[in-house]
Amino acid sequence: MARVIGGIGISHTPSMGIEYDSAEGGALAFTPEWQPWFDGTRPVRDLVAELDPDHMVVIYNDHLNYFTLDNYPTLAIGVGNEFPQMDEGWGPRALPPLPGSHEWGIHLSRHLIENNFDMAVCHDLGIDHGIFSWLPYVLDRPFPIPVTPIAVNMIREPLPRPQRIAALGSALRQAIEAYPGDQRVLVIATGGMSHQISGARFGMANADLDSWFLDQLPDHLDELLKIEISEFMRLGGTEAAELALWYAMRTALSDNATVRYSFSTFPKITGCGVLAMTEPTEEKQ
Ligand SMILES: [Fe+2]
């Protein structure tokens, strides 16, 4: 059977991708605000290379770049063999499409739907900065590992409950383990940390909340789940709601998973961080 070997929670922001392109992926210096993020993602890149997964499942949210308010699913899964990049208004970036796996996508769809997660099944899922902003920091191009993207609504009320997102991660682990064949799977959840990009509180953030969240997630998920998403929005800005997506990464792992790396910084507008955990079978010798 396939197995989950590790999980990564990681931030995304549009500016993260723009800064990557401006610095030509590290060939040039990053701006002083963003150099710490590039440096802080080097251990993540090394860890992904060390783990050498056969497949990745990425839980993210679309920012009205593919889905629209006219038809916005709470849960959606990509089942194509390739996912295009959405143009977010500044033109397409020089990135290849995201590689997918129809076989994995259909398998996970079937298993999740049979376990009462009613996914919108998407063959032509366009992907925005929710995945493309951080991906080049942790994977060299052309992206070598097929991905099953799972989009969760973090944009339009009503949002899914935190417990529902945590349950999705648990169901995902079962679905992965039901896949025939000896494949190693890395589960990644991505959501912006504290930030607010609209309204009277534009620009507010809470770096203390971000680092506290990174400390709590590995071993105190039950306590985090008692906090309403609206409370994260109050403390960290409206878009801090996306932190709830990270729960699915934690519950896709066993209780015995351990922290391999944790890092946070605050480049501009949005808190940025990483939490990387691995299963005991993957601990460095
Ligand atoms: Fe986001």
Side-chain angles (χ1 to χ4, degrees), residues 17 20-21 23-27 45 85 93-97 99 132 135-145:
Y20 183 91
D21 296 345
E24 298 182 7
R45 180 177 175 276
Q85 175 193 169
R93 297 171 57 206
L95 295 173
F132 277 118
L135 191 66
Y137 286 86
V138 301
L139 271 187
D140 290 336
R141 291 167 285 171
F143 306 125
I145 305 167

Side-chain angles (χ1 to χ4, degrees), residues 117-183:
F117 286 89
D118 300 323
M119 318 295 290
V121 179
C122 307
H123 289 262
D124 296 314
L125 181 64
I127 304 289
D128 69 4
H129 72 269
I131 295 180
F132 277 118
S133 65
W134 53 266
L135 191 66
Y137 286 86
V138 301
L139 271 187
D140 290 336
R141 291 167 285 171
F143 306 125
I145 305 167
V147 173
T148 298
I150 294 179
V152 179
N153 168 35
M154 283 287 118
I155 295 291
R156 176 182 188 160
E157 290 287 349
L159 304 179
R161 302 268 298 150
Q163 292 82 357
R164 183 69 171 157
I165 298 169
L168 174 66
S170 301
L172 185 59
R173 180 182 180 86
Q174 293 175 13
I176 290 167
E177 290 180 343
Y179 188 87
D182 186 28
Q183 294 221 352

Side-chain angles (χ1 to χ4, degrees), residues 4 78 81 83 102 125 129 157 190 203 247 278:
V4 177
N81 282 318
F83 305 104
H102 182 67
L125 181 64
H129 72 269
E157 290 287 349
T190 175
Y247 298 155
T278 55

Side-chain angles (χ1 to χ4, degrees), residues 12-14 61-63 129-130 154-155 190-192 195 239 242 245:
H12 62 241
T13 77
N61 69 295
D62 173 79
H63 305 75
H129 72 269
M154 283 287 118
I155 295 291
T190 175
H195 65 303
E239 280 73 32
E242 295 178 7
L245 294 179

Side-chain angles (χ1 to χ4, degrees), residues 199-215:
R201 300 195 308 167
F202 176 90
M204 81 158 285
N206 186 337
D208 290 340
L209 176 71
D210 295 338
S211 50
W212 177 82
F213 183 85
L214 289 173
D215 287 344

